[in-house]
């Protein structure tokens, strides 16, 4: 359960070792730029929705879409500030003019109503409230959309993130900017694909100062890559202890470990002060003699990974994987 959120360091400092098909259609052709205020139809996770382009008052609830919306130069009227406490979104979270709608655990629908939105971008962590948010949108004469990428989307999460970006580009008349975001992402993904050549990996999460299986959250990142999870993707619920021990990890002896430091973004639920993931790994006597420890083949993902998770975040971490594996 998300509690208080923490703003972490930049991605570079963290690298110690180196649902549905979301296609968009509109009344204009793909190479045309729709005019401000034009009606277009997009395919969302809840069906086709008619959207007015260039909405002025936007509520952004989906953290995976937030950085793209910001890159388009859009300033929302309301966001879940604790959920977006990252370096990339500091201009939003520190802006008193942007209202705080709470978190997905305790959303404040009254705030969303009060800001009189034109568009509500929901989904992902807020997906369980889709029906409620649709009612809020209807009462405010606004539009609600859920275009968040999901793991079971056609082509997987990565392909869905690309479609999400392209749809947002059409909504905000920022097709060129959306294409640049996708092109940058694709270049980083291709670099990671070039470096990942069948290596065995353990997908780890550090939570509450303990190392556990993080496959549930990390495997969408590694699915496009030629790496072999030593635990075959089993386990990995971030909110439960799978019982995986350091000795079992050592016995599996992966060539590489890819680590998500949940404690860097969310304070441990046990109330203890968070220890950096690198410190937790270094303290494990069981890891002595393993391939990943002896060769220092541990990749620490962006410390904000748990809160970001959008196309920019995935691109940053693909580049980190490429930089680390490409040197070996």
């Amino acid at each position: 359960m998300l509690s208080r959120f923490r703003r972490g360091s930049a991605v570079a400092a963290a690298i110690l070792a180196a649902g549905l098909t979301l296609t968009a259609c509109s009344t204009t052709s793909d190479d045309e730029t729709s005019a401000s205020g034009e009606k277009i139809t997009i395919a969302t996770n809840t069906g086709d929705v008619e959207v007015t382009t260039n909405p002025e008052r936007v509520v952004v609830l989906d953290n995976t879409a937030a950085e793209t919306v910001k890159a388009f130069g859009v300033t929302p009227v309301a966001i879940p500030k604790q959920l977006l406490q990252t370096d990339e979104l500091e201009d939003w979270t520190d802006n008193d003019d942007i209202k705080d709608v709470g978190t997905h655990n305790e959303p404040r629908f009254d705030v969303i109503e009060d800001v009189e939105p034109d568009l509500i971008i929901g989904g992902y962590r807020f997906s369980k409230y889709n029906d409620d948010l649709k009612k809020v949108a209807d009462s405010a004469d606004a539009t609600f959309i859920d275009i968040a990428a999901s793991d079971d989307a056609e082509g997987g999460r990565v392909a869905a993130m690309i479609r999400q970006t392209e749809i947002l580009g059409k909504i905000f008349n920022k097709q060129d900017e959306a294409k640049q975001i996708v092109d940058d992402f694709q270049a980083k993904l291709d670099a990671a694909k070039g470096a990942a050549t069948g290596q065995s990996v353990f997908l780890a999460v550090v939570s509450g100062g303990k190392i556990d299986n993080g496959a549930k959250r990390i495997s969408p990142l590694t699915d496009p890559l030629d790496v072999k999870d030593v635990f075959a993707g089993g386990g990995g619920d971030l909110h439960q202890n799978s019982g995986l021990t350091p000795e079992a990890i050592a016995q599996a002896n992966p060539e590489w470990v890819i680590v998500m430091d949940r404690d860097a973004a969310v304070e441990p639920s046990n109330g203890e002060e968070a220890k950096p993931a690198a410190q937790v790994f270094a303290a494990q006597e069981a890891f002595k003699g393993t391939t990943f420890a002896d060769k220092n083949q541990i990749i620490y993902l962006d410390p904000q990974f748990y809160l970001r998770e959008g196309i920019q975040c995935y691109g940053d971490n693909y580049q980190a994987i490429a930089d680390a594996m490409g040197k070996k």
Side-chain angles (χ1 to χ4, degrees), residues 3 54 85-86 110 178 180 182 222-223 242 250 253-254 260 294 299:
S3 55
N54 277 349
Q85 284 285 344
T86 65
D110 59 316
Q180 186 61 58
V182 171
T222 58
D223 278 347
S242 71
N253 196 23
M260 185 188 79
D294 287 355
I299 301 173

Side-chain angles (χ1 to χ4, degrees), residues 205-211 238 261-263 266-275 280:
V205 60
V206 172
S207 181
K210 296 181 180 180
I211 300 170
L238 296 179
D261 189 351
R262 185 174 184 268
D263 289 347
V266 184
E267 292 185 0
S269 58
N270 59 14
E272 297 182 2
E273 183 177 354
K275 295 180 181 178
V280 175

Side-chain angles (χ1 to χ4, degrees), residues 15 39 93 103 110 153 155 164 174 262 269 319 324:
I15 306 304
K39 298 283 188 180
T93 56
T103 71
D110 59 316
Q164 176 195 48
K174 297 290 184 179
R262 185 174 184 268
S269 58
Q319 189 61 60

Side-chain angles (χ1 to χ4, degrees), residues 46 49-51 57 59 61 109-122 129-146:
T46 59
V49 175
E50 188 175 72
V51 180
R57 302 184 63 79
V59 173
L61 304 177
F109 297 122
D110 59 316
V111 173
I112 299 175
E113 292 176 347
D114 289 345
V115 298
E116 301 180 342
D118 298 319
L119 177 67
I120 301 171
I121 302 175
Y129 302 112
N130 279 1
D131 290 341
D132 297 308
L133 290 167
K134 179 66 166 57
K135 292 177 181 177
V136 172
D138 288 344
S139 66
D141 196 23
T143 302
F144 167 77
I145 60 171
D146 173 0

Side-chain angles (χ1 to χ4, degrees), residues 80-99:
K81 290 195 173 184
Q82 291 185 62
L83 183 59
L84 303 187
Q85 284 285 344
T86 65
D87 296 335
E88 291 74 16
L89 297 172
E90 184 176 1
D91 291 347
W92 285 5
T93 56
D94 290 351
N95 186 341
D96 292 337
D97 291 332
I98 300 176
K99 304 306 178 184

